[in-house]
Amino acid sequence: MASEAASDTASATFADTASGTVPDTASGRVADTASGRVADTASGTTAETPSETAGEGRTGDPEEPPRSAVPAPIRRIARAWRHPRLRWPKRIALTLLLALLLPSLAAGIALRVNYAGDPAPGTQTRNRDALWLGHAWVDGRKGDADVKALATRLRSTGVRDLYVHAGPLEHDGTLPETAYPSASWLIEALHRRLPGVRVQAWLGDKLASEGPVGLRLERAATRDAVVRSTRQILDAGFDGVHFDMEPLHSGDRDYLSLLDDLHRVTKARRVPLSIAAHQIDPLPAANSLRGTLTGHPKWWSQRYFGQVARRVDQIALMSYDTAMPLESLYGGYVAQQTSLALEVTPKSTDLLMGLPFFYEDNLAHHGSAETVAAAVRGTRLGLSRTDRHRAHFGVALYVDFAAREVDWTAYREGWVR
């Protein structure tokens, strides 16, 4: 979510899955071994096959090889597959296949079960929800009519925080003042139309954690520049600062150090420090395995999530782009993520679960599965089972410029009511 077009991406998957097709081995021909005839089931015709019985010689041309319904390449493969030397390799292959499939099957069943049941009464908005807003709000593309329309929509919701995209940061951690020319106007207009709503600056950048280009948190000078940029954006009048840096690997100590420095600044200004967080590792060692296989670790450990949550005032878990193929599996996954996050987030820290206010259809995000309705239900189920009375809790809506009316309706009916 470092840029308006695809800044969130945060990202992304519980598990990557593969599918294939099963070849149709039917040939359309059936051999009648009792009669020595072969029936062509497609045409309904029959043909004599050479046969040899007791007391008879071979019929037909003695030089003509017998015909078979099975193609020669298939027969060769079958003979090779039955070779005694392949007995142990076959067993090993079957064991590896089961080792890959059974955990995925078990996880899918667990997620589906996790989506069952009814949310507990009272698991609705605490009026601590948030909405990500695109860069058009601070670069001059939006006007008074847009602010009025936004205020009208939000008055009937639980949204208290607006994350307005005011970046991105440069790779050295600096922030050009030219990136947010209309910030002062927007802040004043929103305060006038929506008293009590906090307008936070949404900052971030692509990290150089998986490639040569990006912001490098390991450099002290870069972290110092990010702190100066935070002071700069707060001087512009924002009510807080919201950071989204991706891809951020679990266990990154430089990020924790940066958060400590940032929190000293925001605490002195009496404004919130907010961050967008990666999803939590749903299975033991799943993140390590994915990182080894793909070079792109997706999840944070639950322990690291808790370390981050203790250093901020607000943490929004980006619970979308999960690669879940079914709505029930996605909802069960969100329920699990909600529980995992609640277990390690301090009660004084606002925990927000991200809702997908956008539609995409690709390997990382199946729009028919990742619906707002499923995310809201999963959030309520996780809250019901783990800490139904948690006060500092809400949802975060990503993102205004891609939101559809069906998304707003599902949010209001499922969460606000």
Side-chain angles (χ1 to χ4, degrees):
M1 301 184 311
S3 66
E4 175 187 356
S7 337
D8 64 321
T9 162
S11 31
T13 199
F14 160 52
D16 289 327
T17 58
S19 63
T21 57
V22 179
D24 183 358
T25 56
S27 63
R29 298 174 64 85
V30 180
D32 184 345
T33 57
S35 64
R37 299 172 62 86
V38 175
D40 187 334
T41 58
S43 64
T45 61
T46 59
E48 295 288 347
T49 60
S51 63
E52 186 171 285
T53 60
E56 291 185 30
R58 186 180 299 275
T59 60
D61 187 343
E63 300 298 325
E64 180 182 351
R67 289 174 291 172
S68 171
V70 181
I74 301 298
R75 293 199 303 273
R76 288 195 293 271
I77 293 173
R79 283 197 298 269
W81 181 253
R82 292 193 297 267
H83 197 283
R85 286 183 297 182
L86 290 181
R87 181 179 302 165
W88 280 107
K90 285 190 292 185
R91 291 178 180 177
I92 294 172
L94 178 60
T95 301
L96 291 175
L97 180 62
L98 291 175
L100 291 174
L101 293 181
L102 289 181
S104 298
L105 178 61
I109 294 174
L111 291 180
R112 181 61 186 88
V113 171
N114 217 26
Y115 195 56
D118 296 320
T123 51
Q124 281 95 24
T125 186
R126 277 84 164 121
N127 295 312
R128 293 177 179 271
D129 304 334
L131 170 66
W132 278 281
L133 295 177
H135 201 79
W137 292 94
V138 294
D139 67 3
R141 284 179 283 169
K142 297 287 189 178
D144 289 329
D146 299 300
V147 173
K148 181 180 179 181
L150 178 65
T152 300
R153 182 182 288 281
L154 295 184
R155 283 195 191 99
S156 60
T157 70
V159 172
R160 182 183 67 162
D161 287 287
L162 299 175
Y163 306 143
V164 183
H165 191 269
L169 297 168
E170 298 293 320
H171 292 339
D172 61 0
T174 59
L175 178 65
E177 292 186 1
T178 55
Y180 48 94
S182 301
S184 297
W185 161 81
L186 176 68
I187 296 167
E188 190 277 330
L190 287 172
H191 284 168
R192 185 176 65 254
R193 296 267 183 189
L194 292 169
V197 169
R198 300 185 299 193
V199 186
Q200 299 193 42
W202 166 15
L203 301 178
D205 190 22
K206 175 184 176 181
L207 299 179
S209 54
E210 298 177 5
V213 179
L215 188 145
R216 296 187 175 276
L217 289 177
E218 69 272 18
R219 295 176 178 173
T222 300
R223 298 196 302 273
D224 291 342
V226 174
V227 173
R228 290 194 299 272
S229 295
T230 300
R231 293 194 180 97
Q232 172 187 321
I233 202 69
L234 292 177
D235 288 341
F238 282 97
D239 302 316
V241 61
H242 173 82
F243 280 95
D244 175 33
M245 296 182 173
E246 303 177 41
L248 182 60
H249 294 175
S250 182
D252 191 317
R253 304 298 304 180
D254 296 316
Y255 182 61
L256 298 181
S257 177
L258 174 63
L259 292 180
D260 289 336
D261 294 338
L262 291 172
H263 206 204
R264 281 190 286 270
V265 173
T266 57
K267 185 176 181 180
R269 300 285 189 106
R270 297 184 178 181
V271 296
L273 172 61
S274 174
I275 64 106
H278 288 32
Q279 296 158 30
I280 301 173
D281 195 340
L283 292 173
N287 194 56
S288 298
L289 178 61
R290 177 189 168 98
T292 301
L293 295 177
T294 67
H296 175 61
K298 177 181 176 66
W299 299 287
W300 287 355
S301 70
Q302 190 183 35
R303 178 175 180 271
Y304 187 68
F305 188 96
Q307 290 175 328
V308 172
R310 288 191 293 273
R311 287 169 164 82
V312 298
D313 302 298
Q314 189 178 66
I315 184 167
L317 195 157
M318 297 179 287
S319 43
Y320 37 78
D321 293 339
T322 65
M324 291 294 150
L326 300 174
E327 192 173 28
S328 59
L329 298 184
Y330 172 63
Y333 181 81
V334 173
Q336 180 198 44
Q337 289 290 306
T338 302
S339 294
L340 291 173
L342 282 168
E343 289 170 357
V344 294
T345 301
K347 292 184 181 295
S348 59
T349 300
D350 287 343
L351 171 62
L352 310 181
M353 300 302 296
L355 303 184
F357 266 50
F358 64 97
Y359 185 95
E360 289 182 358
D361 196 13
N362 51 51
L363 290 176
H365 184 103
H366 299 288
S368 60
E370 296 197 23
T371 65
V372 173
V376 166
R377 177 177 168 79
T379 297
R380 295 186 64 200
L381 286 169
L383 181 62
S384 301
R385 295 163 183 162
T386 311
D387 191 354
R388 59 180 292 188
H389 299 297
R390 178 74 68 105
H392 290 259
F393 186 85
V395 296
L397 324 177
Y398 182 84
V399 59
D400 78 300
F401 56 80
R404 303 167 300 164
E405 198 58 43
V406 66
D407 300 326
W408 284 106
T409 299
Y411 162 67
R412 288 193 302 268
E413 294 181 355
W415 182 248
V416 179
R417 291 207 265 196

